[in-house]
Structure formats: structure tokens, C-alpha cells
Amino acid sequence: MNATLGTYRLIYEDARWFIGKLLLLYVTLPLTAVWIIIGTFELDNTLATIAAPGYFFFIPFYGIMGFKSILPIAVGLGSTRTQLLRSFYAVGVSTVVMYFVILNVVHLLLMTLYERGISTVSTLHVGLLYSSEYQFFAYLWIDLMFGFLLFGGVFFIYCVMYRLGMTWTLVGVMAIGITAMFLFYSGALDAPIAWLSTLNVNAMTGFTIAGIAGLLALLVTYPMMRNASLQPKAKSE
């Protein structure tokens, strides 16, 4: 097995365990079963969520640990950083797509049971910001875009901290924040804000832009990490 296939297999096995097994089999599906059982009781339109663990923990966490844990192992086995990054992007994005496709199939099952009166539990979905009427493909697209934003955005932030260190990252964040405050209160941002308000961007367009931004953030990490050292900058640096 050459270094490229070996790196891909290493990342694939890690993603399959973390997203496919730990998140899907041990969290999402059991949570779905619990809500189906609860829905058999005569309750007053209970609202449930099955996406929260993936949104707020597993997808962002994998954006960090999926790379951090594999980097020294892959390099030690002879893989280059470019091979590792390309494999990580391909496996990471594919895993996010796979998870949200399955998640939305499960969501469709719960909504079907609710609409037919078999269950009293209806599920919350971020797609409600777009339409109150359930639409499988629209909701799936929104999930994918939000997932790309979480995966790419969190990995980008991790890469910045990896290369600059905690201290300089915080200094940069504070500098950007203070500059933004001065620009806002001085009125320098009034024209751009007014222009953005005239665009009338709907929810679907907003989610699509967010997903593209997440993918672009993921691509930006390539030049940042292709020559990175095996150890991140120390917190004091």
C-alpha cells in the first residue's frame, strides 16, 4: 500500500468511527428511537431535535481532532502534508455529506410519523428558517451548507491557532474587533451595511453563501498547513 492510499485509509477509518459509528450509530439513531417511543404517548405536539449533537459537537470537533490526531501518525508512516490535507478534505467533506443525507432520511421518517398522526413528536430543523413546510431536498441542502460551514470554519480557526499560537491569535482577534468597533461607530461601515440591506437575501441564499464560505475557509487552510511543523506553536508564543 503506497503512502497516498495508506493516508486515505487512515483518515477514512478515523472518520468512519467518529462520525459513522460514534455519532450515527451511538447517538443519532438511538436518539431517534427514543423520540419515536416518546411520540407514542398522548403528548401535546412535543418538539424534538436529532441534529443538535452533530451540529454543536461532533462535526466541529472532527474538524479539529480528525486532523490533529492523524498528522503525526501519517507523517511518521511516510505521508507528506499535502497528501494528508487532500485526503482529509476529501474524506471530511464526504463524511459530512453522508451523515446529513442519513440524518435527513431519519428526519423524514419522524415527520412522516407525525403528519400521519402516529407520533405526537415533531422535529426542529434549521430549515424552518427557510420554510415552515417540510421540504426534504431544501432541508437537506441547508443541512449540508451548515455542515460545510461548521467543518471548514472550525478547521480554519484551528489552523490559525496552530500556526500563530494562542497568544498571537487572541491579539489578532482583539485587533480586528477593535478596528471593527472604530469603523462602525465612526460611520465608515454605514454605506456597506446599507448596501447589504438592499440585497434582500433570503434564507436559502444565506445558507448557500455560508456553505460556500465554509468550503473556501477549508481550501485556505491548504497553504497554511502544507508546510506546518508537527507541533503547533506554544501557547506563550
Side-chain angles (χ1 to χ4, degrees), residues 1-234:
M1 183 182 294
N2 59 39
T4 301
L5 291 178
T7 302
Y8 180 85
R9 181 61 182 271
L10 190 65
I11 296 174
Y12 167 75
E13 292 294 339
D14 186 60
R16 187 177 69 169
W17 177 83
F18 191 78
I19 301 296
K21 190 173 183 179
L22 191 61
L23 173 58
L24 187 61
L25 293 182
Y26 293 168
V27 177
T28 303
L29 294 183
L31 186 62
T32 301
V34 169
W35 284 121
I36 290 175
I37 294 172
I38 291 176
T40 60
F41 297 99
E42 295 296 329
L43 303 175
D44 294 330
N45 296 327
T46 304
L47 292 176
T49 178
I50 58 174
Y55 276 158
F56 300 111
F57 181 72
F58 284 90
I59 299 298
F61 191 70
Y62 179 72
I64 298 175
M65 297 307 300
F67 182 85
K68 180 180 179 181
S69 61
I70 297 297
L71 176 59
I73 300 174
V75 173
L77 293 175
S79 175
T80 64
R81 288 161 180 75
T82 56
Q83 290 172 343
L84 174 61
L85 285 167
R86 291 170 184 172
S87 299
F88 180 68
Y89 297 154
V91 174
V93 171
S94 299
T95 303
V96 169
V97 171
M98 177 209 70
Y99 170 71
F100 281 117
V101 168
I102 297 175
L103 179 71
N104 276 269
V105 171
V106 174
H107 185 79
L108 175 62
L109 170 64
L110 290 174
M111 290 302 297
T112 301
L113 293 176
Y114 175 75
E115 291 173 354
R116 294 185 177 182
I118 300 174
S119 173
T120 58
V121 172
S122 62
T123 56
L124 290 171
H125 194 284
V126 69
L128 290 171
L129 296 174
Y130 166 71
S131 174
S132 58
E133 296 182 2
Y134 177 69
Q135 302 176 31
F136 177 81
F137 290 105
Y139 277 35
L140 172 60
W141 179 258
I142 289 172
D143 263 340
L144 290 176
M145 294 300 102
F146 198 57
F148 292 156
L149 176 64
L150 290 173
F151 179 60
V154 169
F155 185 59
F156 173 79
I157 294 171
Y158 166 74
C159 290
V160 171
M161 296 180 64
Y162 191 98
R163 295 308 302 268
L164 298 181
M166 178 69 74
T167 300
W168 284 110
T169 299
L170 292 177
V171 169
V173 170
M174 287 300 299
I176 293 172
I178 292 172
T179 301
M181 288 175 60
F182 276 113
L183 291 174
F184 178 78
Y185 287 108
S186 67
L189 297 180
D190 290 348
I193 292 174
W195 176 75
L196 289 174
S197 65
T198 63
L199 295 179
N200 295 322
V201 177
N202 59 36
M204 181 62 76
T205 303
F207 280 113
T208 301
I209 293 173
I212 294 173
L215 292 175
L216 290 176
L218 191 64
L219 293 178
V220 169
T221 62
Y222 182 78
M224 295 171 61
M225 298 298 289
R226 64 182 177 182
N227 295 314
S229 64
L230 290 178
Q231 296 296 327
K233 286 280 187 180

